[in-house]
Amino acid sequence: MTSGGPGWTGATGRPTRLVLARHGQTALSVDRRYSGQGDPGLTELGAEQGERTAARLAAEPGLTAVYTSPLRRCRSLADRAADLAGVPLVVEQDLIETDFGRWEGLTFSEAAQRDPDVHSRWLGDTSVPPPGGESFAVVRTRVERALRRITAEHPGGVVAVVSHVTPIKLAIRSGLGVGEELLFRLHLDLASVSDVRFYPDGPTSVHLVNDTSHLA
């Protein structure tokens, strides 16, 4: 089955469409603190954001599955979306946020003051990890592994992916085929939705980035 006539890329196959959703607000995100693989709960606002985002994901025509990071700030949204849509929920470890090591829970300024040299290099080099954490290059490897699994398991399907800011940026980066600078320049709001499509016979395309219209 095709998605219609060929577009400007020449692809005619039906893409696997990934609808990417970031989790809602936590206490750490209120203060703009590094929030990696710790497991803070949602604020009251974050729970409301999650409910609205879950309803949006569940309403996607043809939704076949919901994949989620194992952390509870994502799981609550993903559980609700899968329940509303009546589709399987898959917990995917590779969708977890970056391990920020000893910067976990710190603000940007606090991390920069604690480790000024490392922090400065980390801001422009994806191979540099935070002290005791993992680099963006390592996160990219596992996120792309997850993307390959999801697209292989749902060819031509529509899949909701509930994750964190870094994995979602990396999925968008993969879709755009751009350089590492996207990680440092792209802004993604809490509970935002993006849309990346992986074609079996053509390049990946990005159709939506950082949409929060469902929160209004």
Side-chain angles (χ1 to χ4, degrees):
M1 187 174 183
T2 66
S3 56
W8 67 272
T9 65
T12 59
R14 178 182 289 276
T16 301
R17 180 179 170 220
L18 302 187
V19 184
L20 306 157
R22 189 183 174 199
H23 62 80
Q25 185 190 76
T26 70
L28 290 180
S29 59
V30 169
D31 295 329
R32 295 184 176 274
R33 296 181 179 276
Y34 287 115
S35 182
Q37 296 184 6
D39 206 10
L42 296 170
T43 62
E44 183 177 346
L45 174 59
E48 180 182 341
Q49 291 171 330
E51 186 68 23
R52 289 174 178 262
T53 308
R56 172 168 180 173
L57 296 180
E60 288 289 345
L63 187 68
T64 55
V66 178
Y67 281 69
T68 182
S69 157
L71 299 180
R72 59 177 175 163
R73 58 188 184 271
C74 292
R75 280 292 304 269
S76 59
L77 192 168
D79 287 343
R80 181 62 172 154
D83 183 60
L84 287 171
V87 298
L89 176 71
V90 181
V91 178
E92 173 55 73
Q93 186 69 30
D94 282 340
L95 293 174
I96 199 170
E97 180 59 288
T98 306
D99 182 353
F100 289 113
R102 73 184 192 189
W103 294 348
E104 180 77 14
L106 300 183
T107 64
F108 182 97
S109 296
E110 289 167 347
Q113 290 170 5
R114 177 174 292 189
D115 301 292
D117 293 338
V118 175
H119 196 266
S120 179
R121 288 189 291 116
W122 175 78
L123 286 173
D125 186 344
T126 60
S127 70
V128 176
E134 62 180 343
S135 69
F136 286 142
V138 169
V139 181
R140 177 187 173 189
T141 296
R142 60 174 170 80
V143 168
E144 290 187 346
R145 184 169 60 216
L147 295 176
R148 288 193 297 271
R149 276 200 296 268
I150 295 169
T151 55
E153 291 169 3
H154 300 274
V158 179
V159 180
V161 175
V162 183
S163 189
H164 310 266
V165 66
T166 307
I168 294 173
K169 284 184 178 182
L170 287 165
I172 294 170
R173 178 191 184 278
S174 178
L176 292 172
V178 297
E180 298 170 344
E181 63 273 11
L182 177 139
L183 285 169
F184 306 105
R185 298 184 182 184
L186 177 64
H187 173 79
L188 292 176
D189 287 303
L190 291 161
S192 62
V193 171
S194 302
D195 182 335
V196 181
R197 304 183 190 191
F198 292 80
Y199 287 82
D201 60 343
T204 303
S205 62
V206 175
H207 288 244
L208 186 70
V209 175
N210 196 41
D211 182 34
T212 57
S213 59
H214 54 285
L215 302 179

